[in-house]
Amino acid sequence: MKIVKYFFFASLLALGACGDDDNNKDNGTLADVVELKVDLTDIRIAQGDERIVNILSGNGEYVVVSANDKVVTAEVEGNTVKLKALERDNHAQSVVYLTDKYEQRVKIMVTTAATFDLKLSQTLFTLYSQVEGADEAEVRIYTGNGGYTVGFHQEEGENAVPDCIQLYTDALEETEKFRIKGIAQGSAELEVKDRQGKTAYVTVNVIAPKPILTDADEDGVTINGAQGKAKVRIIGGNGEYKVLDSGDAKIMRLEIYGNEVTVIGRRVGTTSFTITDAKNQVSKQITVDILPGEPQYMNLGRDYGVWTHFGEMVGEGVAAIKEKTNNFKLTQMTWETVTRIDETNWLQTFMGKEGYFILRGGVWEGNKGRQMELVGTGDKLQLRTGHGAFELGKWMHIALVVDCSKGKDDYNEKYKLYVNGKQVKWDDYHQTDIDYQEIDLCAGNDGGKISIGRAADDRRFLCGALREARIWNVCRTVEQLKANAKELQEEHPDGLLARWIFSPGASTTYVEDATNADYDLVMHICKYNSWTETDFPLERFGDANEIVLPFN
């Protein structure tokens, strides 16, 4: 008999287990369940009033039950629970239970009274106007009797309404909350009342952050010289200054340290910038005018050289120009310089890439004959002009136009050399054991640099001055060379890869790219015996107004 009873009981357990499995299948898996949460679990309601409790998360199919519906009634509508406190002769309490479809439950403690004291969540606030996140506050009515109003508390005889804050009370009756926003420096006292005449007060102090002031607010910044510098001093604000709008990066760049902004010119033009601080204040828009200043040239002499590397090109347009030129491997090319040679020197460097493709002075007695040479890889290309290819102490325009489609033996057409718009022939010496099908601007000794005024050997000084240099990926005609020798007249020249005007207007370690393209390639300044960037002093610049070219 005992055995029969045991099997009967075990069968019931098995059926119960199957029933649970079915319910779980209908209701979903544990991973689907969202925790049931509400925004209030302890609430006080004046008798005769209603309050709303919001369901923050759950699983739907909500059911609400009041443990004592003679104290408080409860209804659920969507994601809200409406509670109503019933009229009674005394204070009372009840519990309201909310469940969802997965039988999760939360309980809401409800206290009702005929009359409550008016209590607020907070009665003293300090706000910071114009500072996002610190300029607003929320006041919750913790207990009260409904019918709430909020206004400014004024002593007898006061008429002016404080203008330091704004009140937002649109949802006051429904939510029993209101917002305060600080808009200006000052203080205000708010008076909160309910329909029973209960009163509470809120004191609000608003601190307005200091505005950002600089010594350039009125007149802006004017810099004479494309690469000149200027300092802007911050004389008022809230610390932790940083650049908000940096303006046109092609015209200037900014450095900020502490209370000082350094404006560094890059090109002639007009732009502006703004700064911000720890309180999110924004300065006035500060206008920056970069003026050309007086035209200059750099006197390199025997002390300085300049160099660039096409691998350092930066900007949005780099990928496009690399694709166009097959990573700077040119089948057509033009090199130009406006220069003055003051004395001759052994293998003096006009422009080029040591050990690969370089235009330099001759070797005979320290270039006493004023010859020019074009030398290629391992001296497999070596072309030399006759004596007197250039004059000393006079400004000249030198251009080398390379067309790799020409044969190696047609060297006077493949490598055209122009001085002041006239072709100078390679008629002293020629060796063409290499036939360039392209010129790789990133190849060669000296790490692939293109240099003027120095090469691997520390003795290859230019012994002269520089006004401008240009590199093209096209063959420029003699007419184009003449028309644009001293100043580039063409607005949108085809094939201009890089251009440097050696007139920065300030002591500097580099010269900006003046191509005005969507990429940049700076020219570094170095000493004769090092590639390291070095400062070129102001006293070594000269007045370019004195430059006269034969065809200008």
Side-chain angles (χ1 to χ4, degrees):
M1 189 66 179
K2 288 182 179 179
I3 295 173
V4 172
K5 288 182 178 178
Y6 171 78
F7 280 112
F8 178 72
F9 182 66
S11 298
L12 288 176
L13 287 176
L15 287 172
C18 291
D20 288 343
D21 289 343
D22 290 341
N23 287 338
N24 288 339
K25 188 180 294 184
D26 292 340
N27 293 335
T29 65
L30 189 61
D32 297 327
V33 178
V34 177
E35 184 181 358
L36 181 60
K37 291 182 179 180
V38 294
D39 63 347
L40 292 171
T41 57
D42 189 352
I43 192 168
R44 287 158 176 76
I45 311 174
Q47 291 172 4
D49 266 3
E50 294 181 352
R51 292 288 294 276
I52 296 294
V53 175
N54 296 297
I55 302 171
L56 302 178
S57 63
N59 304 280
E61 299 181 16
Y62 300 112
V63 176
V64 64
V65 176
S66 173
N68 189 342
D69 58 9
K70 294 182 179 180
V71 173
V72 62
T73 61
E75 296 178 7
V76 62
E77 294 181 2
N79 288 326
T80 62
V81 177
K82 183 188 294 185
L83 304 176
K84 182 174 182 178
L86 302 181
E87 300 282 356
R88 295 179 61 84
D89 295 332
N90 58 348
H91 292 0
Q93 288 185 324
S94 183
V95 180
V96 173
Y97 296 97
L98 174 71
T99 59
D100 65 10
K101 71 178 183 179
Y102 290 140
E103 299 300 327
Q104 293 191 98
R105 186 176 72 168
V106 295
K107 64 180 181 178
I108 305 166
M109 297 296 300
V110 182
T111 302
T112 73
T115 303
F116 279 112
D117 289 334
L118 183 56
K119 294 182 180 180
L120 308 178
S121 58
Q122 190 172 334
T123 59
L124 177 63
F125 293 90
T126 298
L127 304 179
Y128 295 88
S129 68
Q130 306 169 55
V131 180
E132 187 175 352
D135 62 344
E136 290 192 27
E138 182 180 82
V139 182
R140 177 186 287 273
I141 299 173
Y142 186 60
T143 63
N145 303 285
Y148 303 109
T149 60
V150 181
F152 292 102
H153 175 66
Q154 293 176 288
E155 297 292 341
E156 189 175 347
E158 288 184 352
N159 294 316
V161 174
D163 58 1
C164 59
I165 64 172
Q166 288 179 340
L167 287 174
Y168 299 91
T169 61
D170 294 347
L172 176 60
E173 193 61 32
E174 293 177 11
T175 64
E176 299 191 341
K177 294 184 288 188
F178 62 93
R179 288 189 303 118
I180 312 165
K181 182 180 179 68
I183 58 174
Q185 184 88 20
S187 298
E189 188 171 36
L190 302 178
E191 186 177 71
V192 184
K193 287 186 176 183
D194 67 13
R195 65 180 167 210
Q196 297 290 341
K198 302 290 185 179
T199 305
Y201 296 94
V202 178
T203 300
V204 183
N205 297 311
V206 182
I207 299 173
K210 300 174 185 176
I212 298 177
L213 302 174
T214 77
D215 60 3
D217 286 349
E218 297 301 323
D219 300 326
V221 177
T222 301
I223 297 175
N224 286 304
Q227 287 181 233
K229 297 181 181 180
K231 302 285 188 182
V232 174
R233 192 164 60 89
I234 302 169
I235 57 179
N238 304 281
E240 298 180 25
Y241 302 106
K242 58 185 179 182
V243 175
L244 180 63
D245 178 3
S246 58
D248 190 337
K250 290 184 178 181
I251 295 176
M252 70 172 180
R253 64 183 180 90
L254 303 171
E255 294 176 356
I256 188 165
Y257 183 78
N259 289 13
E260 193 170 74
V261 183
T262 302
V263 183
I264 304 167
R266 299 192 65 196
R267 295 178 187 170
V268 173
T270 298
T271 185
S272 62
F273 71 94
T274 57
I275 55 179
T276 185
D277 64 14
K279 298 296 185 182
N280 296 327
Q281 300 303 288
V282 179
S283 69
K284 289 183 177 179
Q285 195 171 60
I286 300 170
T287 301
V288 178
D289 290 309
I290 311 291
L291 306 180
E294 290 298 318
Q296 298 173 315
Y297 62 83
M298 291 177 64
N299 185 17
L300 299 182
R302 289 174 169 264
D303 308 303
Y304 294 91
V306 297
W307 64 270
T308 192
H309 195 299
F310 272 82
E312 295 183 353
M313 184 179 282
V314 296
E316 295 180 0
V318 173
I321 200 67
K322 280 185 175 182
E323 183 178 359
K324 183 177 180 180
T325 61
N326 188 27
N327 283 324
F328 307 117
K329 298 177 179 68
L330 309 184
T331 57
Q332 292 187 331
M333 182 180 73
T334 302
W335 285 351
E336 291 183 86
T337 62
V338 176
T339 185
R340 187 191 69 215
I341 307 301
D342 297 321
E343 55 183 301
T344 57
N345 185 57
W346 176 75
L347 300 184
Q348 57 197 128
T349 303
F350 292 100
M351 181 186 284
K353 307 178 66 59
E354 172 63 16
Y356 177 70
F357 197 82
I358 188 169
L359 182 64
R360 67 190 188 187
V363 68
W364 177 67
E365 292 188 15
N367 201 25
K368 181 178 179 180
R370 291 179 283 121
Q371 293 176 288
M372 299 176 74
E373 290 185 343
L374 179 62
V375 180
T377 304
D379 291 349
K380 292 179 180 179
L381 172 70
Q382 191 167 3
L383 305 173
R384 188 182 304 129
T385 70
H387 291 238
F390 58 90
E391 294 187 60
L392 296 179
K394 292 186 178 181
W395 284 96
M396 60 181 170
H397 174 265
I398 299 174
L400 177 67
V401 181
V402 180
D403 185 351
C404 291
S405 68
K406 304 294 184 182
K408 67 175 184 176
D409 295 325
D410 195 8
Y411 50 85
N412 273 310
E413 291 299 312
K414 187 165 187 167
Y415 312 106
K416 289 183 179 180
L417 176 65
Y418 294 94
V419 176
N420 289 331
K422 294 181 180 179
Q423 186 173 1
V424 180
K425 296 295 183 69
W426 309 109
D427 53 11
D428 181 71
Y429 178 82
H430 68 272
Q431 178 178 332
T432 55
D433 293 342
I434 187 172
D435 188 15
Y436 285 101
Q437 298 302 304
E438 62 185 17
I439 305 298
D440 186 348
L441 294 181
C442 295
N445 299 342
D446 299 335
K449 297 177 178 67
I450 295 178
S451 61
I452 301 174
R454 71 149 303 185
D457 194 297
D458 296 342
R459 299 175 292 162
R460 302 185 194 182
F461 324 115
L462 180 68
C463 296
L466 272 177
R467 165 59 181 171
E468 187 167 343
R470 305 170 194 154
I471 297 178
W472 307 73
N473 66 350
V474 295
C475 292
R476 299 282 281 177
T477 67
V478 64
E479 292 78 17
Q480 289 173 322
L481 296 174
K482 286 183 176 182
N484 297 276
K486 188 174 179 182
E487 298 291 341
L488 188 58
Q489 303 296 324
E490 300 171 32
E491 289 189 15
H492 304 288
D494 178 49
L496 182 60
L497 276 183
R499 179 191 182 200
W500 303 275
I501 302 173
F502 298 94
S503 181
S507 177
T508 183
T509 60
Y510 60 91
V511 176
E512 292 280 3
D513 189 339
T515 310
N516 199 29
D518 54 359
Y519 54 81
D520 290 291
L521 182 63
V522 301
M523 181 73 80
H524 306 275
I525 303 171
C526 62
K527 295 297 286 288
Y528 74 95
N529 59 354
S530 171
W531 295 112
T532 302
E533 269 195 347
T534 190
D535 197 61
F536 193 84
L538 274 173
E539 59 267 20
R540 294 294 292 260
F541 288 101
D543 182 3
N545 288 310
E546 70 183 41
I547 296 176
V548 176
L549 297 177
F551 37 77
N552 286 127

